[in-house]
Amino acid sequence: MKKGKVQKSDEEFYDERIQFFLENGSIFQKICPTCVDEYNDHSILKLISIMYWIGIFSPIVHRQLRDNFGYRIVYVDSMAGSGVTMAKRANDYLCGSCPGALLSAIKHNCPFDVMIAVEIKSEKADALKQRINTIIPQPNITVYTKDILEISQDIAQELQKRTISYIVIDPQALQGMTWAGIGPLLKCKGDAMVTWFEAEAWRLKRAAISPKEHQAAEASKERLTELLGEEWKNVQSAEGMTDLFIKRVIHECGKTAYAKVKIPRLDGGYYWMILFTGMPKNPQKLVDEWKKNVDKRINSAHGRGISSLLDVKAGRTETLKKWL
């Protein structure tokens, strides 16, 4: 938070964010109406963590690299979806990460020059492109209808050309993540946000050392070794699997700092949003600022009552006072 700037209350913050996601989700859903992704209400918290970094990242790179040295600022969504999420509980339409990121950067008067999205399903890729094509000012847009494993090297090569990038790697589960697919992107100049499923990584480790299912154990070993290297064999906790992933990214991908925030799930579980930065100046201070503010919002009464807030905004409940 800049000196002298009054921070919004939790009520103001969520009122503004939920309005943003609902309003734009409704607009984009009208384009290819039947093509949406489906998640739960808590996906808003994940989207907030992705968008919040744009408010820190975009002004800095515009000022330091774009204005002074002519760099392109590129947003990459490696598992982009359709651009609209339907919250399954009440069928609210929410703006997805890809159009949301572009609109957030525009809101900060620091738009992305280029957007690269990867979506393996052709129907969703087509809907995403149609939706993004309505955004003004419009970046240079490329949507690949491929698995990220097939195209990540080509994207990484494109990002070498006087480019700074913000890359979002948001699989639906750990199964969708391989080092061969994400490693080339993480090594690009810029920052990255990764959705990391800690509990799933730990289940994979337990399966790998199980004496009962030899074939399944061998497959799990291969998965873990490809993603984390051989050191997973020495890890003794779920948290250790997360630490090992972070260690590999920092050591092999030229990132200068990281921070992570915990996103709760409806089933009582959680996953991590891990932010990696390549900022040369004050990197840890910047990511700590992101973590402090996003953690505060997620763990507030408003963050914990996200479904109630959606009900209010959608007109299903008249007031927040009975909920918060």
Side-chain angles (χ1 to χ4, degrees), residues 28-237:
F28 290 131
Q29 184 271 336
K30 291 179 173 63
I31 304 167
C32 305
T34 62
C35 187
V36 298
D37 302 292
E38 292 188 6
Y39 294 104
N40 61 54
D41 296 347
H42 284 67
S43 65
I44 287 183
L45 303 178
K46 173 178 68 176
L47 291 168
I48 285 172
S49 72
I50 293 171
M51 306 306 162
Y52 203 99
W53 184 244
I54 290 174
I56 299 172
F57 167 88
S58 293
I60 292 174
V61 296
H62 265 255
R63 182 175 66 252
Q64 295 183 356
L65 295 174
R66 190 177 187 272
D67 295 346
N68 291 338
F69 301 103
Y71 271 67
R72 300 181 306 164
I73 315 300
V74 180
Y75 176 76
V76 180
D77 203 317
S78 66
M79 301 160 191
S82 69
V84 173
T85 293
M86 185 178 74
K88 291 181 281 188
R89 180 184 62 90
N91 296 338
D92 293 313
Y93 294 112
L94 307 172
C95 176
S97 58
C98 209
L102 298 185
L103 291 170
S104 292
I106 291 169
K107 185 177 178 181
H108 286 94
N109 295 315
C110 298
F112 288 100
D113 301 301
V114 177
M115 188 222 73
I116 298 173
V118 182
E119 171 48 51
I120 192 169
K121 295 182 179 179
S122 58
E123 182 185 11
K124 289 186 177 182
D126 182 63
L128 177 65
K129 191 164 187 177
Q130 289 189 52
R131 287 161 176 162
I132 290 172
N133 278 336
T134 66
I135 294 175
I136 297 173
Q138 190 174 113
N140 186 319
I141 297 168
T142 301
V143 178
Y144 291 104
T145 312
K146 295 186 176 183
D147 188 291
I148 188 59
L149 184 61
E150 300 176 71
I151 200 67
S152 62
Q153 288 283 3
D154 292 339
I155 294 173
Q157 186 62 37
E158 172 65 20
L159 297 181
Q160 302 307 307
K161 304 169 185 175
R162 210 172 188 78
T163 296
I164 189 83
S165 57
Y166 178 37
I167 297 173
V168 170
I169 299 170
D170 181 28
Q172 294 183 33
L174 195 65
Q175 184 179 3
M177 187 185 294
T178 65
W179 190 257
I182 69 174
L185 300 178
L186 290 169
K187 292 175 183 176
C188 294
K189 184 179 180 69
D191 300 349
M193 187 81 69
V194 181
T195 305
W196 175 256
F197 299 93
E198 182 172 270
E200 190 177 340
W202 183 240
R203 285 195 296 270
L204 204 57
K205 152 89 185 212
R206 295 181 68 180
I209 61 176
S210 171
K212 296 180 181 179
E213 299 287 346
H214 177 73
Q215 188 172 358
E218 288 302 313
S220 297
K221 288 176 184 177
E222 291 178 9
R223 275 284 287 125
L224 287 171
T225 300
E226 194 277 339
L227 184 59
L228 299 174
E230 297 284 351
E231 289 184 51
W232 67 266
K233 297 172 184 177
N234 302 318
V235 173
Q236 300 300 314
S237 67

Side-chain angles (χ1 to χ4, degrees), residues 285-305:
K285 179 181 178 182
L286 292 170
V287 296
D288 285 348
E289 177 187 348
W290 169 81
K291 175 180 173 57
K292 176 184 175 182
N293 286 292
V294 175
D295 267 341
K296 174 183 178 294
R297 301 303 188 182
I298 288 174
N299 294 314
S300 69
H302 288 74
R304 295 193 301 272

